[in-house]
Amino acid sequence: MATDPALAANSLANQPVRQSTGNGGALGKTGFAWAIFEWARNPYYILIVIYIFAPYFARDIIGADLLASGALDGLPADKALATANAQGQATIATVTKWAGFIAALTAPLLGAALDRGGRLKPILAVFLGSIVVCSAMLWFAEPGGRGLGTGTIMALLVIAYVSYTYSEVTHNAMLSVSGEPKKLAMISGLGLGLGNGAATLIFVAIALLFVLPATVGWPFAEPQFGVDLAKFEHARLAGPICAAWLALFSIPFFLNARDPGVPGASWTKAFREGAASVWRTIRAAAHYRQLMKFLIARMFYADGMAALLALGAVYVALFLGWNFLEMLCYAIFASACAFAGGIFGGWLEGRIGVKRALAVEILAMVVTGLVQLSITQESLFLGLVENRQVWQAPVFPTLSDLVYLALISVVAVTATASISSGRTMLVILAPPGRSGEFFGLYAIAGTITVWMGPLLVERFTLWSGDQRIGMVSINLLFFIGLTVLLTVRMPERTA
């Protein structure tokens, strides 16, 4: 791309030259520092947004409180439970929807300012501090009206979700200087792998220290540190654990990662010029035709994936009736598979090109997700196979449980790989020196339907009273995103 019209309209020539490339690979000092950030931060999303806190909030606070209120006493027991579960799923969807609204309106402005402002690390520290505080406060989220109120819990989750998005935009804006251009895919994949590896370790610790001692008396006779499962302390602890983990393990990133920001640059001027640049970029979309098509594709496919991940664990906890130990095992298994997915994404991009890799990953998620929704507690594959007990075990005793668990491995691998592929594709298509702004647009493309996806699930779930119908609606976003993605033309040797 010879000329960047946004830069031509508002030259940055008077500003110090910002570094746009780096040196080394995934195991180099700066590359590994960039990747280890996700080891520190990603457990929040995995434990709180997906596997532990969100299902707990939906089932044991929203659903249980609704049942205890007597509002559903006139319904048969199974119908009352289904209604409470649907309300719990819709509440989580509402949280994600509002977080998406806020991020969609602000993330591109932040990204554009990051290309023009001062050091990025202090800004990133503010976002991480917000996540730490909100995460730690979740310890006070108790059922039955004790502790924090439902509205306060939802507000904390929204603030943390938005802060997480901002931290993602800022961190991604530093990817291009973390290593050599040809090594960025592996650096990105390593970060995702480390993030899921960290979550796996935390899941295993929660299982060994709290859940297994309470359920089977192993490896300890009772839960450690006085944790009381009857008060859901094992689920509420996920918040403080993620807060401490993030605060501790972000230190190596701040010490060693390369910061492309210019010391002393005015952030006020950066936000003002950044906002103008975002507007010019949108108006000059024809000059970035392929990049804009990719961002439109991401606007749909990535947010379908975000809705799937954010609500998938809530779905299985409520619809398949998995208990906390099963959810914990599910989380460990999925996180271990996702670790492999980060590495797999970088490998697949190198073999078939980033665009083809991304298309394969999206299609695999769609097909696997539809098969998953054909599984119930009574049958598999839309009633073709009757469910039966396979073994006597405290977890996953039925055929439905085991088949669903096996399918989770495919979703975990391909979802993680698609995140890595999407980031690499953005770096390839973005104009040099403006990765922050386009990662801001990348973020809005990943958040504008973060509210649409949950809104679809919320509306369809409440309208039908059926969780499966709500979850099926997500696939519309996948299909639109994949269709647009296939029209994107990539530079030679990167397709």
Side-chain angles (χ1 to χ4, degrees):
M1 186 177 300
T3 303
D4 186 339
L7 290 184
N10 185 26
S11 175
L12 301 179
N14 294 328
Q15 295 186 12
V17 176
R18 301 172 71 90
Q19 187 176 1
S20 60
T21 60
N23 302 305
L27 298 182
K29 181 179 178 180
T30 58
F32 189 75
W34 188 93
I36 205 171
F37 177 86
E38 302 205 84
W39 166 277
R41 185 198 58 177
N42 289 19
Y44 171 84
Y45 192 90
I46 295 169
L47 271 73
I48 304 302
V49 178
I50 302 179
Y51 293 118
I52 291 184
F53 189 83
Y56 158 68
F57 184 46
R59 178 172 58 190
D60 299 309
I61 295 183
I62 299 299
D65 287 355
L66 180 59
L67 289 171
S69 71
L72 306 179
D73 287 350
L75 299 175
D78 58 343
K79 180 62 174 177
L81 180 60
T83 302
N85 288 345
Q87 184 61 52
Q89 178 171 292
T91 300
I92 296 298
T94 299
V95 168
T96 312
K97 175 185 68 179
W98 282 109
F101 272 134
I102 297 169
L105 294 173
T106 55
L109 303 179
L110 170 65
L114 295 176
D115 287 329
R116 294 161 172 78
R119 291 298 189 186
L120 274 59
K121 288 182 181 179
I123 300 295
L124 190 53
V126 173
F127 301 146
L128 296 188
S130 174
I131 299 172
V132 167
V133 172
C134 291
S135 185
M137 290 292 292
L138 296 180
W139 166 256
F140 301 103
E142 301 180 58
R146 299 183 299 274
L148 299 175
T150 298
T152 302
I153 299 170
M154 294 175 70
L156 288 172
L157 292 174
V158 168
I159 294 169
Y161 199 116
V162 173
S163 299
Y164 189 95
T165 300
Y166 290 167
S167 73
E168 183 177 18
V169 173
T170 310
H171 181 235
N172 284 345
M174 302 170 71
L175 175 59
S176 63
V177 299
S178 66
E180 301 172 28
K182 64 181 180 181
K183 301 293 182 61
L184 296 183
M186 288 307 299
I187 293 173
S188 175
L190 176 63
L192 291 168
L194 288 174
N196 284 281
T200 302
L201 290 179
I202 298 174
F203 286 135
V204 170
I206 292 174
L208 294 177
L209 293 174
F210 311 129
V211 181
L212 289 175
T215 53
V216 298
W218 180 91
F220 305 102
E222 58 185 20
Q224 298 299 288
F225 310 115
V227 169
D228 187 349
L229 271 65
K231 296 180 179 178
F232 302 100
E233 291 181 352
H234 55 305
R236 292 157 49 206
L237 260 178
I241 289 173
C242 289
W245 188 275
L246 175 55
L248 176 63
F249 287 108
S250 61
I251 294 174
F253 166 81
F254 284 103
L255 291 177
N256 299 314
R258 180 171 288 129
D259 190 332
V262 177
S266 169
W267 280 107
T268 301
K269 182 179 179 181
F271 273 98
R272 185 173 61 251
E273 293 185 352
S277 180
V278 169
W279 176 242
R280 284 193 302 272
T281 298
I282 294 172
R283 293 179 62 184
H287 294 280
Y288 314 102
R289 189 179 302 275
Q290 304 311 315
L291 177 54
M292 288 301 178
K293 283 196 293 185
F294 166 62
L295 292 176
I296 291 171
R298 174 176 162 77
M299 184 174 68
F300 291 99
Y301 84 75
D303 298 326
M305 183 184 70
L308 176 64
L309 294 178
L311 300 172
V314 174
Y315 171 81
V316 295
L318 301 178
F319 189 75
L320 295 182
W322 287 2
N323 59 38
F324 189 87
L325 181 57
E326 288 173 317
M327 292 299 296
L328 199 58
C329 293
Y330 158 35
I332 293 171
F333 178 70
S335 296
C337 292
F339 174 85
I343 307 303
F344 171 77
W347 172 83
L348 187 62
E349 292 166 35
R351 294 299 299 270
I352 65 175
V354 62
K355 174 186 166 182
R356 297 187 189 95
L358 187 53
V360 168
E361 291 150 5
I362 294 170
L363 187 59
M365 278 190 285
V366 170
V367 173
T368 306
L370 289 174
V371 175
Q372 285 178 319
L373 293 176
S374 73
I375 298 173
T376 70
Q377 295 188 51
E378 291 75 35
S379 64
L380 297 84
F381 315 128
L382 299 177
L384 295 177
V385 178
E386 185 177 353
N387 190 25
R388 58 184 175 82
Q389 185 163 333
V390 176
W391 59 352
Q392 293 287 343
V395 293
F396 312 122
T398 71
L399 183 61
S400 287
D401 294 332
L402 294 173
V403 172
Y404 198 99
L405 188 66
L407 291 170
I408 284 168
S409 65
V410 180
V411 174
V413 168
T414 54
T416 307
S418 74
I419 297 172
S420 176
S421 298
R423 292 196 300 209
T424 304
M425 195 163 174
L426 189 282
V427 171
I428 291 171
L429 292 171
R434 297 180 63 206
S435 61
E437 176 178 341
F438 280 95
F439 265 120
L441 293 176
Y442 180 84
I444 193 175
T447 55
I448 201 168
T449 48
V450 159
W451 62 265
M452 284 182 64
L455 179 63
L456 287 173
V457 175
E458 177 191 44
R459 292 294 94 197
F460 275 82
T461 300
L462 293 176
W463 164 71
S464 65
D466 189 320
Q467 288 182 259
R468 284 199 296 174
I469 292 176
M471 293 297 289
V472 165
S473 66
I474 293 173
N475 286 290
L476 177 62
L477 301 175
F478 279 119
F479 283 121
I480 295 174
L482 180 58
T483 300
V484 177
L485 176 68
L486 294 177
T487 70
V488 177
R489 292 199 310 273
M490 298 291 291
E492 286 188 35
R493 298 183 297 278
T494 61

